[in-house]
Amino acid sequence: MPTVSFNTNFPGYDVLGEINRSNARVLKARHIATGDLVAIKHFSLNTDADTLRRFERESAIMTRMSHPNIVRVREVRLDTDLPYLVMDYVEGGSLRHLLSTQHNLPVDVTIRLGLQMLDVFRLIHTQGIIHRDLKPENILYRQLSSGELHFLLTDFGVARLHEQPVTVTGQSLMTYEYAAPEQFDNPRQIDEAADYYALGVVLYECLTGRVPFAMRDESGLVTFMNMVLSTPPPPPVLPSGEALPGSMVALLDQLLTKNCRERLHNPDVAKLALKQAEVEQLYHQQKPVSGQTVAFRPPVREKAAPEPPVRPASNTDRESIAVPRRSRSVWPMTALVGALLLTGLWVYWYFSPTASRSVRPGLAGVSRTENPESDSETFEFSDLTVSAAEKRAQEERRRQQALEAARKRYQEEVSRATKQLEATAFGGKVGFFGGVKGLSVKLNNPSAVTFKSVAVQVTYVKDNGETFKSPIMYFNNIGPGGTITRRAPDSQRGIRFSARVLRADAAPPDSLASTSSLPNP
C-alpha cells in the first residue's frame, strides 16, 4: 500500500493508507519507534473553548485507562494544524461492517457483545465519562483463536467534541438513530442513561438487522424526532422467525424507555438479564422441535442363538438338574436378616440424641434444610408429629435469622467502607482580595462497596478563621476502587478550603435491597 504524502502532519508515524472516512478521517499507520500498527483519527475542530477543554480532560483520562474492551488511546494532539488522536489498531473491523455482510448477528453473539459493553460502562461511568455516540461504527472487533468475537469500544469524547444543539436547519454530528430522546432536547445535559439507550438500539439492530426508528430523507428530522419521543419501538423479531428469549425482550424494553429517569442504567441488573437470556437461549436450542416427542428407547439386545429343541426329560435327567432344597432356602433367610438389620439401624438413628446430622437424602423421615451460612445442604430427621404449617413457620424463622445476619454483616462492611471514603480538594486559586475559584474535589472509594450517593461538604475559611460557607456536593454511583472528580462551586470569600465526606448511601445487593433500606452509618 503506497505511503500517503501527508506524513509530515503526524511526526513519528508512517501513514500506510485510509481505513474510513465519515465525520473524521481514520488512517492506518505504523509507529516508527516501536513498529506497532496504529489508527490515526484526525478532524477539523469547530467547537467552543469549554467543550475543547472538556474533551482534552477526558482524552487524558482515556490515555491512562486500561480495559480489555476499550481501544487504547496512545496520544492526543489538539494543538496542531491538523488535530488528531492515535489509537491501537484493531484488525477485525467495525460492527457496522460485520452487520453489512451478515445482516444480523446470532443471539449468543449479541449477548456476548452486550456483556462486554456493560463492563465498559461500569468503568467509564464511574469515572464521570459518558460516551454519547455508541453505535456500530464505534464498536470494533477482533476474532480470537477460539473463533469467538471480542468487541472493543472506541471514539470516547469525539461525539461531545463535535456536538452542537440540534435544530431543523442545523446539523449535529451525533447519530440520530442511536440518540436517546433527551439528546434531542438538550444534548449537553445528559447522563449515563443515554449510553444505555444507545446500547439498546445496537442490540436491537444486531438481533433484527434494523434499528427501531430509521431516519429517512423523505420524512424529515421533525417527524423522526416525534417518533423517537412518543412512539413505542416495534417488537423485535428475528429474521429467522424464531422466538427471542423473554429476558432479552424485557431488557430491550427497559433500555429503550423514553423517560431517562425510568430507563434501566444499572450494569449489574442489565448483566443479570443478559445472563438469563443466555440460559433461555441454550434451553431453547436443546428443546425438541414443536410437534415432536422424545421418548426413551431401551437398548436393543442382540438376538441370542436359537436354542436346540427341548426333549422330554427322563427320570435320570430330572435328578441330575434338580436344585437342592437347602440352596433354594438361603435367599429368603438372607433377605429377612438384612431387613431386620436395616430396621434396627433406622430405629437407632431415629431415637438417637444426635439424629440431626448430614445424611443421604431420600430416606424415610428425612427432611432437607438449607444452611444459610454455607452453600451446602443438610438433611435432618423431622418429627413426624410436627404439622406442615409449623414446619413452614420454622423454615421462615430460619430464613429471617439468616437474612438478619447477612444484613448485619453488610451494615458492618458499609460502615467500614464509609470510613475509607476520601475527599480531597485541590487546584483552587485564591484571588488577590480573597475568594476561591477553579476548585476541584476528588472522591476516592478504595473499598469493595458500591455507593449510589455520597455527600461531600466543601468548606471555605476566611482569613480570620471563620467559615464563610460550606456547600454540599453529591457524587453518584461510585463503584469499588472508583474515583470521581467534580468541579466545586466558586466562593467570593475565603483563603483556605477543605473537603470531607458528610454521609454516604450504599447500594445494597439485590438479596438485601428488597427487604428494607440500610441505615446510613
Side-chain angles (χ1 to χ4, degrees), residues 27 494 506:
L27 305 173

Side-chain angles (χ1 to χ4, degrees), residues 24-222:
R25 192 177 190 184
V26 183
L27 305 173
K28 181 179 179 181
R30 178 180 289 106
H31 188 222
I32 297 176
T34 63
D36 296 339
L37 291 177
V38 297
I40 300 178
K41 186 163 189 174
H42 72 86
F43 41 84
S44 59
L45 293 178
N46 180 22
T47 187
D48 58 275
D50 180 65
T51 303
L52 179 59
R53 286 193 299 269
R54 186 164 55 242
F55 176 71
E56 288 177 329
R57 183 175 67 250
E58 292 188 1
S59 299
I61 296 175
M62 294 308 304
T63 56
R64 300 193 303 267
M65 193 173 294
S66 177
H67 191 278
N69 298 109
I70 294 178
V71 179
R72 183 166 67 99
V73 178
R74 291 169 168 254
E75 183 182 358
V76 179
R77 294 293 302 273
L78 301 178
D79 55 350
T80 63
D81 295 335
L82 194 63
Y84 64 93
L85 56 88
V86 182
M87 304 170 289
D88 284 346
Y89 177 73
V90 181
E91 64 277 5
S94 69
L95 178 60
R96 171 60 63 207
H97 174 72
L98 195 63
L99 289 174
S100 64
T101 56
Q102 300 187 13
H103 182 65
N104 71 306
L105 300 184
V107 175
D108 59 333
V109 178
T110 303
I111 292 174
R112 181 179 178 86
L113 165 65
L115 292 173
Q116 295 181 12
M117 292 301 102
L118 287 174
D119 285 343
V120 174
F121 286 178
R122 189 190 308 276
L123 176 64
I124 67 173
H125 290 163
T126 56
Q127 301 291 331
I129 297 177
I130 305 169
H131 191 281
R132 291 174 175 249
D133 197 27
L134 185 72
K135 57 184 178 181
E137 287 80 0
N138 290 336
I139 300 176
L140 308 181
Y141 74 92
R142 61 166 59 101
Q143 191 168 19
L144 304 179
S145 57
S146 62
E148 295 180 329
L149 298 184
H150 182 81
F151 296 96
L152 302 96
L153 189 57
T154 185
D155 267 6
F156 288 85
V158 174
R160 177 179 295 189
L161 180 66
H162 286 293
E163 211 166 59
Q164 301 172 2
V166 179
T167 62
V168 177
T169 57
Q171 183 179 5
S172 169
L173 295 182
M174 71 177 181
T175 309
Y176 296 121
E177 286 88 347
Y178 305 89
E182 61 268 23
Q183 286 183 266
F184 293 104
D185 296 331
N186 192 352
R188 296 180 184 274
Q189 300 297 324
I190 62 172
D191 57 15
E192 61 269 17
D195 284 347
Y196 281 86
Y197 182 92
L199 176 62
V201 178
V202 170
L203 297 179
Y204 187 104
E205 183 179 11
C206 288
L207 293 169
T208 66
R210 58 185 178 87
V211 294
F213 303 103
M215 177 69 178
R216 307 183 187 280
D217 296 335
E218 62 273 13
S219 60
L221 179 59
V222 175

Side-chain angles (χ1 to χ4, degrees), residues 199-309:
L199 176 62
V201 178
V202 170
L203 297 179
Y204 187 104
E205 183 179 11
C206 288
L207 293 169
T208 66
R210 58 185 178 87
V211 294
F213 303 103
M215 177 69 178
R216 307 183 187 280
D217 296 335
E218 62 273 13
S219 60
L221 179 59
V222 175
T223 302
F224 175 79
M225 289 173 57
N226 289 333
M227 284 195 305
V228 174
L229 293 172
S230 59
T231 306
V237 178
L238 294 178
S240 62
E242 298 180 4
L244 269 173
S247 297
M248 176 63 78
V249 177
L251 175 63
L252 291 176
D253 182 65
Q254 296 178 66
L255 293 176
L256 298 177
T257 299
K258 308 291 184 183
N259 191 333
C260 60
R261 290 186 294 272
E262 300 175 359
R263 186 180 308 139
L264 172 61
H265 57 278
N266 185 313
D268 294 328
V269 176
K271 185 174 182 178
L272 180 62
L274 285 175
K275 286 290 187 181
Q276 180 65 26
E278 188 175 34
V279 173
E280 294 172 4
Q281 179 66 14
L282 289 174
Y283 174 75
H284 175 74
Q285 292 174 350
Q286 297 299 322
K287 284 200 315 181
V289 180
S290 177
Q292 295 182 357
T293 58
V294 178
F296 173 74
R297 297 181 179 179
V300 180
R301 298 182 179 179
E302 296 182 359
K303 294 183 178 179
E307 298 180 355

Side-chain angles (χ1 to χ4, degrees), residues 437-482:
K437 294 184 178 181
L439 181 67
S440 296
V441 176
K442 180 174 69 174
L443 179 65
N444 181 37
N445 176 24
S447 71
V449 175
T450 297
F451 291 93
K452 62 182 179 181
S453 178
V454 179
V456 175
Q457 185 179 52
V458 183
T459 303
Y460 298 93
V461 181
K462 297 186 292 186
D463 53 358
N464 61 1
E466 295 180 357
T467 298
F468 174 66
K469 67 175 182 177
S470 300
I472 297 177
M473 302 175 60
Y474 290 92
F475 295 76
N476 298 326
N477 299 324
I478 178 169

